[in-house]
Amino acid sequence: MEDLTARSGQTSNSYEGAAFIEDGSRKAGTLHVFEGSVEFKPNDGENSIRLPVQQLEITAGGNQNRLIYFKSPSRAGISFYTTDRNILKESALQKPELLPAIKKIVGGHRRVKTGYWTLAAVSVALIVGAWLGRGWVFEAAIDQIPPEAEVKLGELVEKNLMSTMSVVKDPVVNEGIKTITRPLLEVAESPFPFKFQVVYHQDVNAFAIPGGSIFIHSALIEKADSAEEVAGVLAHEMAHVIHRHGTQLLVRRIGLYVLVGAMFGDTQGLIAALADQGGFLLSQKFSRDFERQADETGFKLLVDANIDPRGMLSFFRRIKEIQEEQMSETEQSAMAIMGTHPATEERIDFIQEKINELPPDREFQKIPLDIQKIQRRISLPE
Ligand SMILES: [Zn+2]
């Protein structure tokens, strides 16, 4: 077969692509357009295949219509494709019978682009709106983020955090956490899959990242008096996830535009932003409204799961004592203790009120876990 690419007076740009041939197999190669034919040259050195321009069918397909297909009734079972749209500008394809198909593809692509820009414009409007203090605009925007995208986002955040944390891998500890969280998971209505990990850290704290991953500092377990106390904190963290508080914080911090980009597959901006602001979720305080909402939902989770919510209360009280103790020493270290979840008098009063509202004869199931058993394992050297 003669090599058309070398034919004198007939030069063509080369477009990377592939072809499906009669036996259904796919070959990678390059596409070339000549006066009268479109040629596919396989990379494996086999003979080129040509489709006549006359009766050529040009269509868009694949993901977001990014693939341009060439077919011909004269060669049934064969199709070429490329993602390089410049091929449509080849002069040999500017034939009256082909132009309607080309226009349809180019026009369609423009519409997709317009859609993207509309979304970008909406994002900018949302950022400006939120900047002006319209919190509800943010919430409306967050509602538009599909849970799967948030899970993906969480994976990125987690990957970024992991390099700075040391996860407790002791099976006794992890089994203990499962015993505590199992009843909560049974009653929690969440589009996010929860995942709990204990990490070595001397600050009494726990935190959730978008998408359902919750981290428990080893010091929190060490300071707890019962499994119910740990459950109280974890129910609160689960509530942060359910209400997507972490995502809202992220959006405020790094901008909806970057997040929207990430959802459209452009994760570079997000990765850069996360790398730049490493660990900010650890230091970021949620607003009082978010804390109130997490306490309220967390309390409900505990009661629904038949776990005594007084654990939540006693733990917050202890944290407050520690805070006050430390406050007299240095203000600095006080900040570290439950820094993201200050155990304020207001929160303690709120939970106390909720407990008072429970029927006086309400009984709860004791979590079948001796907290000291996992405390001993945590205090073992790594
Ligand atoms: Zn909180």
Side-chain angles (χ1 to χ4, degrees):
M1 193 174 275
E2 76 182 307
D3 185 359
L4 278 171
T5 53
R7 206 156 74 184
S8 72
Q10 290 255 344
T11 54
S12 164
N13 291 316
S14 169
Y15 302 94
E16 272 186 46
F20 288 106
I21 54 177
E22 282 101 337
D23 65 3
S25 65
R26 180 188 164 279
K27 279 187 176 189
T30 50
L31 271 66
H32 307 262
V33 182
F34 301 105
E35 200 57 52
S37 68
V38 175
E39 183 198 59
F40 172 75
K41 202 175 174 188
N43 290 341
D44 60 11
E46 293 275 314
N47 286 338
S48 296
I49 310 167
R50 259 170 276 155
L51 297 178
V53 163
Q54 212 182 9
Q55 285 191 296
L56 192 67
E57 292 166 12
I58 310 175
T59 53
N63 180 27
Q64 292 178 327
N65 281 341
R66 281 177 57 237
L67 306 179
I68 314 293
Y69 285 98
F70 298 92
K71 269 189 257 182
S72 169
S74 67
R75 298 293 302 268
I78 290 186
S79 63
F80 306 158
Y81 68 84
T82 177
T83 56
D84 192 341
R85 309 182 82 85
N86 286 323
I87 198 168
L88 298 173
K89 294 178 191 157
E90 285 284 341
S91 61
L93 295 179
Q94 312 308 309
K95 305 281 182 215
E97 67 271 24
L98 297 178
L99 285 178
I102 291 175
K103 275 201 179 122
K104 198 175 156 195
I105 296 168
V106 176
H109 190 63
R110 252 191 220 128
R111 271 199 299 281
V112 171
K113 259 191 178 159
T114 310
Y116 188 86
W117 284 110
T118 307
L119 190 59
V122 168
S123 311
V124 171
L126 286 171
I127 291 165
V128 173
W131 198 36
L132 297 171
R134 317 274 292 267
W136 60 270
V137 181
F138 256 138
E139 273 163 44
I142 301 287
D143 285 345
Q144 299 308 309
I145 300 175
E148 311 81 67
E150 195 168 318
V151 169
K152 277 238 146 50
L153 176 71
E155 282 168 8
L156 282 174
V157 174
E158 183 169 338
K159 219 169 133 193
N160 201 264
L161 281 176
M162 272 312 185
S163 58
T164 66
M165 297 191 298
S166 165
V167 177
V168 177
K169 296 213 173 74
D170 190 311
V172 175
V173 174
N174 290 321
E175 202 44 59
I177 295 300
K178 274 198 188 127
T179 305
I180 294 172
T181 54
R182 200 173 290 125
L184 291 167
L185 292 175
E186 277 169 19
V187 298
E189 279 174 39
S190 166
F192 307 106
F194 287 106
K195 182 171 131 192
F196 300 90
Q197 295 178 84
V198 181
V199 292
Y200 288 102
H201 205 294
Q202 60 187 14
D203 294 341
V204 180
N205 205 358
F207 63 96
I209 62 174
S213 230
I214 292 172
F215 294 90
I216 310 151
H217 283 182
S218 51
L220 185 141
I221 293 173
E222 284 172 325
K223 291 282 180 209
D225 252 0
S226 67
E228 277 74 12
E229 289 192 351
V230 177
V233 175
L234 296 185
H236 172 96
E237 292 306 325
M238 286 168 74
H240 277 312
V241 170
I242 292 167
H243 294 300
R244 313 178 96 171
H245 289 159
T247 308
Q248 296 191 45
L249 206 69
L250 255 179
V251 167
R252 278 165 213 251
R253 183 81 177 212
I254 65 179
L256 189 59
Y257 187 77
V258 175
L259 288 194
V260 170
M263 276 161 223
F264 276 80
D266 173 21
T267 51
Q268 288 306 311
L270 180 63
I271 290 167
L274 290 176
D276 196 36
Q277 323 214 8
F280 75 88
L281 279 166
L282 294 161
S283 59
Q284 193 79 10
K285 269 196 184 81
F286 282 135
S287 70
R288 269 166 75 175
D289 285 350
F290 280 3
E291 288 307 327
R292 165 65 76 101
Q293 199 178 21
D295 282 343
E296 189 159 14
T297 302
F299 188 93
K300 189 175 178 303
L301 278 174
L302 290 168
V303 173
D304 289 350
N306 212 7
I307 295 173
D308 196 335
R310 276 168 292 217
M312 197 181 201
L313 184 67
S314 65
F315 196 67
F316 279 173
R317 284 214 171 107
R318 175 125 17 85
I319 293 301
K320 190 159 183 288
E321 278 166 22
I322 298 171
Q323 274 176 340
E324 281 163 359
E325 243 169 65
Q326 303 250 337
M327 195 67 89
S328 55
E329 290 166 24
T330 70
E331 211 152 321
Q332 199 70 34
S333 52
M335 292 305 288
I337 308 286
M338 290 296 268
T340 52
H341 303 93
T344 60
E345 198 59 53
E346 189 190 338
R347 292 180 66 196
I348 289 169
D349 289 347
F350 176 72
I351 295 163
Q352 181 66 66
E353 253 171 60
K354 300 287 286 181
I355 288 169
N356 294 347
E357 283 168 17
L358 291 171
D361 56 347
R362 180 71 156 96
E363 280 180 14
F364 296 94
Q365 190 100 47
K366 180 102 191 66
I367 298 175
L369 175 77
D370 176 7
I371 192 76
Q372 289 179 354
K373 196 172 138 199
I374 66 172
Q375 282 169 340
R376 280 193 293 272
R377 301 293 291 225
I378 280 180
S379 54
L380 289 176
E382 262 180 82

